Amino acid sequence: MKELLGRFNGLKTQLVLVLALTASVMLQGCSTDNNGTDAKTEGVAENAAEAVYVAPGKHDELYSFLSGGFNGQVSVYGIPSGRLLKVIPVFSQFPENGYGYSENSRAMLMTSHGFIPWDDLHHPKLSRADGMTDGRWLFVNGNNTPRVARIDLKTFETVEIMEIPNSAGNHCSPYPTNNNEYILAGTRFSVPLNLEKGGVGDASLDEYKEKFRGSISFIKVDKENGDMELDFQVLVPGFDYDLANGGKGPSGDWVFFTTYNSEKAGTLKELGASQNDRDYLAAINWKMAAKYAAEGKAHEMPANYYHNKLDHGTHVAKSTVKKKVRYLLPEECPGMMYLLPAPKSPHGIDVDPTGEYMVVNGKLASSLPVFSFSKMQKAINDKAFDGEVNGIPVFKYDAVLYGEVKEPGLGPLHTEFDNKGNGYSTMFVSSEVVKWNVKDLKVLDRLPVYYSPGHLLIPGGDTRDPYGKYLVVMNKITKDRYLPTGPELLHSAQLIDISGEKMKMLLDFPTLAEPHYAQAIAADKVAPNSTKFFKLNENKHPNAVKSEKDVSVTRTGRTVNVNMTSIRSHFTPDNIEGVQVGDTVMFHVTNLEQDWDVPHGFAIMGANNAETLIMPGATQTLKWVPKGPGIYPFYCTDFCSALHQEMQGYVRVSARGSNTPLKFSTGEKKPVPPATAAVN
């Protein structure tokens, strides 16, 4: 009985927060407060409409990139308008343009588990130069089947996906160092690793504490073209690794990771992983880790992981399978890694623009601790440690603590910073954003949001010089915000003006799927470099056709290759005969246009994959296997001209073994009729 009472007392804080969360969710169904005020308009700036208005034909100040969570995509919104500009498919097939379906792009979704057409995309991170976003690339993580992807911001398309070995739940990922030297990716779930044969090993779940470990991957980034390469991994204690962020300025050589489940519980973690008073903030000196790896401290183990790249010359993705990986053990690399005691079950770790202060957002904490980097350095010199874990020193809490923000709110999740020395934290349970001063740790302002915010975005809020005008908060619950659409509702993003002393809500807009994090960048860092079209003379696709006179239809065994063109407003050829039932027909369609915003689509009846969308100057391949004889129409799916509807053709499919000759054509040119005299 005493043991049960002890466990109950140890869970007091969690129970209080859970009760508060339950109450808050119940209250969210109400649209008025105790004074009868309409909650939908409370806190909205009087001139909100004017502040977010972007006139027709004008452009937004900023691009924002919101993770799609369970849709595996990135959504691009203009700020301040909140207009959806584009959806970028990354880990999910996308019927709109054939990504993941077409023969050009299917290889992007290959993994050691086979073809995986979905993943859980959580954290977009912009590439950097000298601690500032540079507008070249966007890195994102795949949480479920561990992957890291790179999006090229010249074309706004996914150009590289790397599978992460020895990982499970690639959640605290992908975090760039200040000059893109490395992208760091940490595992959420610890698993047993087979160091002799490679990969995840087999162990009893009862052996969690003894055999399970985590991993943090160090991915090199080519300075010129952005190509990624897995350099080495650090095998870390068997906690769960949640989020990460890199230092800057004095702390620029360090990356910090929040961890939970220091208890190493393997079941019912809502209780088992909440027993200890504190979990840890892991601090890794990435430069020292790279030095240890270069000096031969790294071990090597077998591996089996895919690295997929899209070639912009051919517009075709190809896969390479990697068979080994290097790893470091912290216990063999003194000075590389330390643990800071942190509030239990921490989520976000955020470093202020000066690089001096590290904020840990403890979901079950009643205060918001701020750690000091300079005090951490002193604690290293003074050896102010309180034991170790797996040979990794654990700091004394007071030796590294700068101070605590008292009573910030209920359920702190994530913090970002403006350019005036202030932090802004989301409070999931009390449904608010709280503004506080980093130096004196005093709360300055609170603004209710609707409802249960997770992450927030300040453009450049994780850089050394934030764009301190706007904040976007991403809410997890949206009941009563928009017209109802059945039981499944879109999530809500709310735009807040942070330019003055008080926060002012300007706008809310629905978001696709469930954003977990977002990044934003000034439009003038990206827009001038945007690709308008691909140069036809640089198209290196093996089946590209750069002139209508060079089109062809050829047979090799049971495969028919159709090398064809599209241009406003016809295909060449548009009549094909001699295809037989069961043939594999490969349509290689080259878009001859050399003008911006004139893509052409290609679809054929009975195709069981998707259409394909071909940008000007590019070639895309669609695979089709007819199942029965007949006439099969094909057509352009993207409205391209006044005669778009006439942009179509036919394939005749004959029975297997028939004598119908293979032939193709585009109709004979008709003479231009004489001009008609004007009627008076």
Side-chain angles (χ1 to χ4, degrees):
M1 187 66 176
K2 288 182 180 179
E3 182 181 349
L4 288 174
L5 287 172
R7 290 186 66 187
F8 177 77
N9 288 331
L11 293 172
K12 278 182 180 178
T13 303
Q14 297 101 290
L15 290 172
V16 169
L17 286 173
V18 168
L19 289 172
L21 172 60
T22 304
S24 72
V25 171
M26 292 174 64
L27 290 172
Q28 286 160 9
C30 304
S31 59
T32 58
D33 62 19
N34 291 334
N35 298 318
T37 303
D38 185 353
K40 294 180 182 178
T41 59
E42 182 182 353
V44 177
E46 292 181 1
N47 62 344
E50 181 181 345
V52 302
Y53 179 69
V54 178
K58 300 297 183 182
H59 294 175
D60 283 278
E61 293 176 52
L62 302 151
Y63 290 98
S64 67
F65 303 91
L66 278 64
S67 69
F70 46 69
N71 76 3
Q73 302 165 345
V74 171
S75 300
V76 185
Y77 293 86
I79 298 295
S81 72
R83 298 182 294 199
L84 178 63
L85 304 177
K86 187 176 178 65
V87 176
I88 306 172
V90 183
F91 301 114
S92 296
Q93 290 177 299
F94 196 56
E96 181 177 309
N97 62 12
Y99 176 84
Y101 293 98
S102 73
E103 299 308 298
N104 292 54
S105 59
R106 279 182 59 86
M108 294 297 288
L109 302 179
M110 287 301 300
T111 75
S112 62
H113 304 276
F115 180 77
I116 305 291
W118 171 85
D119 214 315
D120 188 14
L121 190 157
H122 279 215
H123 304 125
K125 280 286 186 175
L126 288 159
S127 58
R128 303 185 179 207
D130 193 24
M132 297 296 294
T133 55
D134 62 12
R136 294 205 289 169
W137 308 302
L138 182 75
F139 299 94
V140 298
N141 68 317
N143 186 30
N144 185 61
T145 303
R147 289 175 276 184
V148 169
R150 177 171 60 91
I151 295 168
D152 188 335
L153 293 183
K154 285 185 177 179
T155 59
F156 280 65
E157 64 181 343
T158 304
V159 294
E160 187 174 13
I161 297 180
M162 176 186 288
E163 189 179 3
I164 307 297
N166 303 323
S167 181
N170 174 44
H171 191 260
C172 53
S173 165
Y175 297 95
T177 56
N178 287 308
N179 284 291
N180 300 325
E181 296 95 342
Y182 283 101
I183 298 295
L184 277 77
T187 187
R188 174 182 174 185
F189 308 111
S190 289
V191 290
L193 298 177
N194 189 328
L195 301 184
E196 293 183 1
K197 295 183 179 180
V200 178
D202 181 23
S204 167
L205 294 174
D206 296 331
E207 299 176 293
Y208 190 104
K209 292 184 178 181
E210 295 79 29
K211 294 189 176 181
F212 285 52
R213 296 196 77 150
S215 67
I216 294 172
S217 299
F218 284 64
I219 302 168
K220 269 189 175 179
V221 179
D222 186 278
K223 291 184 180 298
E224 298 301 321
N225 58 33
D227 285 354
M228 301 185 294
E229 177 190 358
L230 179 56
D231 192 10
F232 62 92
Q233 297 180 312
V234 177
L235 302 189
V236 289
F239 311 144
D240 289 37
Y241 294 78
D242 196 350
L243 286 175
N245 253 312
K248 51 189 74 74
S251 57
D253 295 353
W254 295 77
V255 178
F256 304 93
F257 300 81
T258 51
T259 75
Y260 61 100
N261 193 26
S262 56
E263 301 84 352
K264 297 185 179 181
T267 183
L268 199 61
K269 290 194 178 185
E270 62 178 325
L271 294 177
S274 301
Q275 298 297 305
N276 294 341
D277 288 337
R278 290 196 173 101
D279 285 304
Y280 297 114
L281 174 67
I284 293 182
N285 187 317
W286 66 264
K287 278 193 176 177
M288 188 174 290
K291 187 172 182 289
Y292 275 126
E295 291 175 347
K297 278 283 189 179
H299 306 268
E300 191 171 282
M301 64 185 291
N304 183 41
Y305 64 97
Y306 273 69
H307 189 177
N308 311 319
K309 292 183 185 179
L310 178 68
D311 185 317
H312 266 147
T314 64
H315 306 283
V316 175
K318 293 184 179 179
S319 299
T320 303
V321 181
K322 302 296 182 72
K323 289 295 185 180
K324 61 183 179 181
V325 64
R326 301 188 300 161
Y327 66 92
L328 296 172
L329 298 173
E331 55 267 36
E332 298 177 355
C333 302
M336 180 183 75
M337 183 173 180
Y338 298 90
L339 298 174
L340 291 72
K344 66 171 65 180
S345 296
H347 190 54
I349 159 64
D350 302 285
V351 183
D352 88 308
T354 71
E356 167 63 14
Y357 303 105
M358 300 95 74
V359 182
V360 176
N361 301 264
K363 297 179 299 212
L364 302 181
S366 57
S367 64
L368 196 63
V370 180
F371 295 102
S372 163
F373 180 74
S374 57
K375 290 187 73 172
M376 188 184 96
Q377 295 305 295
K378 185 176 186 301
I380 292 173
N381 293 331
D382 295 345
K383 299 189 184 304
F385 304 134
D386 188 16
E388 62 177 37
V389 176
N390 286 42
I392 304 167
V394 179
F395 290 116
K396 293 179 179 178
Y397 184 70
D398 291 337
V400 292
L401 182 71
Y402 173 73
E404 295 179 345
V405 182
K406 301 296 184 183
E407 300 182 358
L410 294 176
L413 282 189
H414 179 54
T415 298
E416 290 214 349
F417 305 91
D418 65 16
N419 56 354
K420 305 179 187 72
N422 303 310
Y424 299 76
S425 300
T426 50
M427 301 294 156
F428 180 82
V429 178
S430 51
S431 286
E432 58 185 333
V433 174
V434 177
K435 175 182 178 181
W436 52 277
N437 183 267
V438 176
K439 287 291 180 66
D440 63 24
L441 305 180
K442 291 181 180 179
V443 172
L444 303 175
D445 192 21
R446 298 176 184 274
L447 184 69
V449 295
Y450 311 101
Y451 308 93
S452 298
H455 290 279
L456 54 79
L457 151 71
I458 292 175
D462 60 347
T463 70
R464 59 177 174 78
D465 187 16
Y467 186 93
K469 184 175 180 180
Y470 299 115
L471 177 153
V472 177
V473 59
M474 289 156 274
N475 300 296
K476 301 296 187 185
I477 297 173
T478 55
K479 60 178 68 177
D480 82 26
R481 297 306 293 173
Y482 310 119
L483 288 172
T485 54
E488 183 181 1
L489 304 176
L490 289 176
H491 289 73
S492 171
Q494 295 182 308
L495 180 68
I496 297 168
D497 179 354
I498 60 170
S499 61
E501 291 186 8
K502 294 292 185 181
M503 294 180 283
K504 297 179 181 179
M505 187 172 294
L506 301 176
L507 175 74
D508 66 3
F509 53 94
T511 60
L512 299 180
E514 184 193 2
H516 288 257
Y517 187 58
Q519 293 261 272
I521 187 170
D524 60 13
K525 283 190 175 183
V526 176
N529 303 317
S530 186
T531 298
K532 305 296 194 296
F533 57 87
F534 297 105
K535 295 180 180 178
L536 188 62
N537 61 3
E538 295 178 1
N539 184 336
K540 297 179 181 177
H541 189 288
N543 296 92
V545 178
K546 301 177 183 180
S547 171
E548 290 184 354
K549 65 182 178 58
D550 295 325
V551 301
S552 63
V553 180
T554 58
R555 173 185 291 280
T556 304
R558 296 191 61 176
T559 298
V560 176
N561 280 289
V562 181
N563 296 348
M564 61 189 296
T565 64
S566 61
I567 195 167
R568 287 168 287 187
S569 296
H570 64 273
F571 293 103
T572 304
D574 65 3
N575 277 205
I576 302 170
E577 298 185 58
V579 174
Q580 299 183 9
V581 172
D583 280 346
T584 296
V585 184
M586 308 295 283
F587 294 100
H588 310 286
V589 187
T590 300
N591 182 345
L592 297 180
E593 308 283 357
Q594 291 289 267
D595 192 8
W596 190 23
D597 195 24
V598 192
H600 290 296
F602 180 84
I604 185 165
M605 188 173 73
N608 60 7
N609 39 31
E611 64 140 4
T612 188
L613 201 62
I614 312 105
M615 295 300 113
T619 303
Q620 292 285 328
T621 298
L622 183 73
K623 178 180 176 181
W624 176 61
V625 180
K627 300 297 192 298
I631 300 296
Y632 291 81
F634 59 82
Y635 66 102
C636 176
T637 55
D638 191 296
F639 204 100
C640 55
S641 74
L643 294 175
H644 162 77
Q645 200 73 354
E646 286 77 8
M647 191 169 172
Q648 61 190 57
Y650 297 99
V651 177
R652 177 188 176 190
V653 177
S654 301
R656 181 91 240 134
S658 71
N659 295 321
T660 305
L662 191 65
K663 61 181 181 179
F664 61 94
S665 64
T666 299
E668 294 178 6
K669 291 185 178 180
K670 301 286 180 32
V672 178
T676 304
V679 178
N680 293 326

